[in-house]
Amino acid sequence: MTWLHELRQAGRALLRQRSTTLLAIATLALGIGANEAIFSVLDSVALRPLPFPDSDRLVRLYPAFFSAREADAVRNETRSYDVLSMASSGSFQLLGEGRPEELDGLVIDAEHFAVFAQPPLHGRAFGPADEEPGAEPVAILGYDLWQRRFAGEDVLGRRLDLSGEGATGRTVIGIMPPGYRPLPWSTDLYVPGSAEPGTHEYEDMIRYRLIGRLAPASDLEQAQSELKTVIAQVAARGDGGFDQESADEARVVGYLESLVGDVRDRLWLLLAVVGAVLLIACTNVANLLLAQLGGRERELAVRSALGADKVRLIRQLLTESALLGLVGGIAGVGVAALGLSLLRRLAPLDLPRLEGASLDASVLAFALAVSMLASLLFGALPALRGSRALERSLREGGRGSTTSRRRLQWNDLLVGTEIALCVLLAVGAGLLLKSLWNLGSVDPGFRLE
C-alpha cells in the first residue's frame, strides 16, 4: 500500500535526524499537552451537561437567595415548574465516631431530590413528614462521607452524634450515590429544613437557593416573566418579604449556566492562551524542519530523478510532519496528565465540577485533532519550500545561493511571528501579575499578622 510505504519512509527519515526529531517531539508535547489539560477542564466544567435526567430543564431562580417565606410565596403563585426546592448550606460537627470532623451540610426540603431526579443509593429520601414540627431528626449521608468514615458499612438507622446549628443526634435514613453534587462543592450531609432550630423565630434569617425543574410546557423566558410578575405582586401586597429591588433582580437561569457562567469565559481565555503557546511550538518546529531542508536537497533530487513527481514529494514531507505531530500528541498525553494533576491542586476551591476532569475519549479526540492541525501548521511551509527548492536546485545545476537566501527569509518571518506571539503572552502575563499585586496590596481593614 502506498500510504504504508510512505509512512515507513517518513519514520526512517525522522530516525536519521534523531536529535532534531526528539527536540521537535518535546516541543510539540509541551504545546499539545497544555492544550489537552486545559480542554479537559473546560470540557468537564462548562461543556458537559449536568449528570441528571433532563438536566436542560433544571433552573435557578434569582435573587440569589430567598427566605423561607419568600420561597413559599414563589412556590405557591408560580405555575412554570414541575417542582421547586430550597437549599441552604450549613456546617455540622460529627462526634462520637472517632476523631471529630467538621462536615459540609445542606439543609433542604422534601422536594430537593425530586428536582434533580436522583433517589438515594440506599435507604429513602426525605418526605413531608420529616419536615413536620417535632419530627425525629434525620439525615442522609453523602457517598464520600459514608466511605471515608464508615468504610461502606450498613449505617441505616444508626444515630449519629452531631452538633452544629443547634442540631444533635440524627438518624441516618439514606446514602446518596457517588458523584452526586447538586451544588459546586462536595456535600457530606443532607438534613431536612424542619431540623432548623426555632423555625418561626429564625425563618427570615436563613437564606436559601431556589432551584427548580421547568414544566414541559414552560421555557426560560416564560418562567422569568412569571417570576418577575409574582415578585412584584407579592412586594406590592407587602406580605412576602420582597421589595422592588427583588423584582428588578428577578430572573431564571439554566442551572448549568448558574454554576459555570462566571467561569466559562475565563476557561476559554485560558484555552486561547495555551493555543498561542502551541502556535509558538509549531513555529519552532517549522524552523527546525526548514533548517533540515538544506541537508535534504540532494535526497529530494535523487528521488525526483528516480521518477517521484512534485505531488509525491510534498506528500512525503507532509507524511513526515503528520507522523511527527502524532508522536508529539502521544507524548503530550503524558504532559497533559501531569498538567491536569497540577491544575487540580492549584485551581480555586469554588471551581465547579473540576473533579470530573479526565483524559477521556473526548479529550483524546481533541488531542488527535490538535496534533493533526499542528502537523499541518508546521509541515505545510517546509513541504512547499522543499518542492520549490528542488525545482530551483535542478534548474540551477546544484547552485544553492538563491535557495539559501529564500530559506533565510522564511526563517526570519517565522522568528518574527514567534516573537510577536511571545510579546503578546508576556504583556498578558504582566497585566495579570500587576492585578495580582494590586489585590495583594488592598488594605483588608485588619492586621494580617
Side-chain angles (χ1 to χ4, degrees), residues 18-175:
R18 286 185 177 85
S19 58
T20 302
T21 299
L22 288 175
L23 182 59
I25 289 174
T27 302
L28 290 172
L30 290 173
I32 294 173
N35 278 267
E36 287 181 58
I38 298 302
F39 178 78
S40 67
V41 174
L42 175 65
D43 180 53
S44 173
V45 171
L47 301 183
R48 293 182 197 170
L50 293 168
F52 306 114
D54 297 323
S55 61
D56 58 318
R57 309 296 297 174
L58 293 174
V59 294
R60 182 175 174 187
L61 283 62
Y62 288 81
F65 297 99
F66 296 78
S67 68
R69 190 157 53 115
E70 292 168 346
D72 283 340
V74 171
R75 282 203 282 202
N76 293 335
E77 302 195 31
T78 55
R79 300 293 180 268
S80 296
Y81 313 94
D82 275 342
V83 60
L84 280 171
S85 171
M86 301 186 301
S88 177
S89 57
S91 179
F92 300 85
Q93 287 76 43
L94 176 61
L95 308 173
E97 299 285 345
R99 62 179 177 81
E101 180 180 355
E102 186 168 356
L103 305 180
D104 293 320
L106 203 60
V107 181
I108 57 177
D109 55 20
E111 287 78 18
H112 172 85
F113 299 115
V115 167
F116 292 97
Q118 182 65 74
L121 178 67
H122 301 294
R124 66 173 180 87
F126 299 135
D130 296 311
E131 298 180 302
E132 293 295 329
E136 178 187 5
V138 293
I140 295 176
L141 303 185
Y143 185 86
D144 290 344
L145 175 66
W146 180 48
Q147 293 293 322
R148 184 175 71 247
R149 292 301 299 261
F150 303 103
E153 298 177 359
D154 183 8
V155 294
L156 296 180
R158 181 185 297 188
R159 196 162 183 83
L160 300 183
D161 185 7
L162 293 170
S163 65
E165 299 191 354
T168 58
R170 299 183 188 274
T171 301
V172 178
I173 63 169
I175 309 291

Side-chain angles (χ1 to χ4, degrees), residues 268-286:
W268 279 114
L269 178 60
L270 193 56
L271 186 63
V273 170
V274 294
V277 173
L278 179 60
L279 287 177
I280 294 173
C282 290
T283 305
N284 276 324
V285 175

Side-chain angles (χ1 to χ4, degrees), residues 243-289:
D243 54 23
Q244 186 57 46
E245 183 178 351
S246 302
D248 295 336
E249 294 177 359
R251 58 193 176 99
V252 179
V253 177
Y255 195 56
L256 177 60
E257 179 67 22
S258 73
L259 294 177
V260 304
D262 294 337
V263 177
R264 183 188 290 114
D265 291 344
R266 283 178 279 171
L267 289 176
W268 279 114
L269 178 60
L270 193 56
L271 186 63
V273 170
V274 294
V277 173
L278 179 60
L279 287 177
I280 294 173
C282 290
T283 305
N284 276 324
V285 175
N287 261 323
L288 288 172
L289 296 182

Side-chain angles (χ1 to χ4, degrees), residues 304-317:
S304 179
L306 292 175
D309 58 16
K310 180 179 178 181
V311 173
R312 179 70 178 272
L313 292 175
I314 291 177
R315 194 169 63 199
Q316 181 61 43
L317 292 173

Side-chain angles (χ1 to χ4, degrees), residues 166-203:
T168 58
R170 299 183 188 274
T171 301
V172 178
I173 63 169
I175 309 291
M176 293 309 297
Y180 180 70
R181 182 171 291 192
L183 295 181
W185 54 85
S186 178
T187 302
D188 299 313
L189 189 74
Y190 303 86
V191 301
S194 61
E196 288 299 308
T199 302
H200 178 72
E201 182 180 355
Y202 297 109
E203 64 177 358

Side-chain angles (χ1 to χ4, degrees), residues 149-419:
R149 292 301 299 261
F150 303 103
E153 298 177 359
D154 183 8
V155 294
L156 296 180
R158 181 185 297 188
R159 196 162 183 83
L160 300 183
D161 185 7
L162 293 170
S163 65
E165 299 191 354
T168 58
R170 299 183 188 274
T171 301
V172 178
I173 63 169
I175 309 291
M176 293 309 297
Y180 180 70
R181 182 171 291 192
L183 295 181
W185 54 85
S186 178
T187 302
D188 299 313
L189 189 74
Y190 303 86
V191 301
S194 61
E196 288 299 308
T199 302
H200 178 72
E201 182 180 355
Y202 297 109
E203 64 177 358
D204 285 335
M205 297 176 62
I206 304 168
R207 311 305 291 179
Y208 295 91
R209 292 170 174 82
L210 199 52
I211 305 166
R213 180 175 287 273
L214 287 175
S218 300
D219 57 29
L220 283 175
E221 185 177 350
Q222 293 171 344
Q224 179 163 303
S225 176
E226 182 187 46
L227 179 64
K228 283 183 172 291
T229 300
V230 166
I231 290 181
Q233 291 174 347
V234 174
R237 294 200 304 264
D239 59 358
F242 291 117
D243 54 23
Q244 186 57 46
E245 183 178 351
S246 302
D248 295 336
E249 294 177 359
R251 58 193 176 99
V252 179
V253 177
Y255 195 56
L256 177 60
E257 179 67 22
S258 73
L259 294 177
V260 304
D262 294 337
V263 177
R264 183 188 290 114
D265 291 344
R266 283 178 279 171
L267 289 176
W268 279 114
L269 178 60
L270 193 56
L271 186 63
V273 170
V274 294
V277 173
L278 179 60
L279 287 177
I280 294 173
C282 290
T283 305
N284 276 324
V285 175
N287 261 323
L288 288 172
L289 296 182
L290 280 175
Q292 273 190 338
L293 283 177
R296 298 189 64 185
E297 289 179 2
R298 185 179 182 84
E299 172 198 339
L300 296 175
V302 170
R303 290 188 180 183
S304 179
L306 292 175
D309 58 16
K310 180 179 178 181
V311 173
R312 179 70 178 272
L313 292 175
I314 291 177
R315 194 169 63 199
Q316 181 61 43
L317 292 173
L318 287 176
T319 301
E320 294 176 15
S321 299
L323 183 58
L324 195 60
L326 183 61
V327 176
I330 293 172
V333 173
V335 175
L338 293 174
L340 187 56
S341 175
L342 183 63
L343 284 171
R344 285 198 181 101
R345 290 198 297 269
L346 298 180
L349 295 177
D350 60 348
L351 185 62
R353 306 210 297 164
L354 180 61
E355 72 284 349
S358 63
L359 301 181
D360 58 10
S362 61
V363 176
L364 294 179
F366 173 80
L368 179 61
V370 169
S371 300
M372 294 301 98
L373 178 61
S375 302
L376 181 62
L377 288 175
F378 68 73
L381 179 59
L384 292 175
R385 295 303 304 162
S387 65
R388 293 175 184 173
L390 174 62
E391 292 177 355
R392 285 191 295 270
S393 178
L394 293 174
R395 286 198 307 266
E396 296 169 5
R399 298 187 301 274
S401 59
T402 303
T403 300
S404 298
R405 285 197 301 271
R406 290 179 179 273
R407 188 165 61 245
L408 288 173
Q409 290 173 354
W410 280 107
N411 285 346
D412 291 343
L413 178 61
L414 288 173
V415 170
T417 302
E418 186 176 355
I419 291 174

